[in-house]
Amino acid sequence: MDCLFCKIAAGEIPSTKVYEDERVVVFRDIAPAAPVHLLAIPRQHIESAAVIDEQTAELVGYIFTVIARVARNEGLENGFRIVSNIGKDGGQTVPHLHFHILAGRELAWPAG
Ligand code: 5GP
Ligand code: ZN
């Protein structure tokens, strides 16, 4: 499968990983939009949050426990934002489910 984030998860493309286990990898975004900008992905190729189903729900829930742990380790006690872009209008550029973790400054809302 020619997928950038599958290759990053497999270590075939280098990244700065801050956490990894048998199901999930968290690494730093190459073009940070905030002082802290991480991407949390499942190793399993799932195209986007639009195709999460009963089979993948447990994995997605697990990713959120990893995000909470990583946020504590990164010292994000002032808060952070989790974002998942979906499809063209959602601004998704990599078709492998990922959760952006943005922090380190006050973030504007609503987005976009
Ligand atoms: P999307 O636009 O799909 O929501 O998010 C994709 C993210 O992946 C972007 O924030 C982009 O900067 C990041 N990205 C794209 N290519 C690479 C890469 O090769 N390495 C890393 N670490 N991040 C990447
Ligand atoms: Zn993939």
Side-chain angles (χ1 to χ4, degrees):
M1 166 107 51
D2 194 27
C3 168
L4 176 64
F5 285 178
C6 282
K7 287 178 179 167
I8 283 179
E12 290 164 20
I13 289 175
S15 68
T16 306
K17 291 177 181 166
V18 300
Y19 176 90
E20 68 181 314
D21 64 24
E22 67 285 353
R23 289 192 282 173
V24 178
V25 180
V26 184
F27 57 99
R28 296 197 187 279
D29 196 292
I30 205 167
V36 177
H37 188 170
L38 307 172
L39 298 169
I41 65 169
R43 288 189 188 276
Q44 182 185 336
H45 183 84
I46 298 169
E47 193 161 307
S48 78
V51 296
I52 294 167
D53 59 14
E54 288 75 9
Q55 259 78 55
T56 49
E58 202 271 335
L59 172 60
V60 173
Y62 177 67
I63 294 173
F64 277 77
T65 72
V66 168
I67 290 172
R69 200 179 333 158
V70 167
R72 284 194 293 276
N73 291 344
E74 291 275 320
L76 308 185
E77 54 279 331
N78 281 347
F80 58 97
R81 183 171 294 163
I82 300 170
V83 175
S84 194
N85 298 323
I86 299 156
K88 181 178 160 290
D89 282 2
Q92 184 178 12
T93 58
V94 179
H96 178 127
L97 176 65
H98 52 283
F99 296 98
H100 296 260
I101 298 137
L102 297 155
R105 63 171 170 81
E106 268 189 48
L107 300 162
W109 187 259

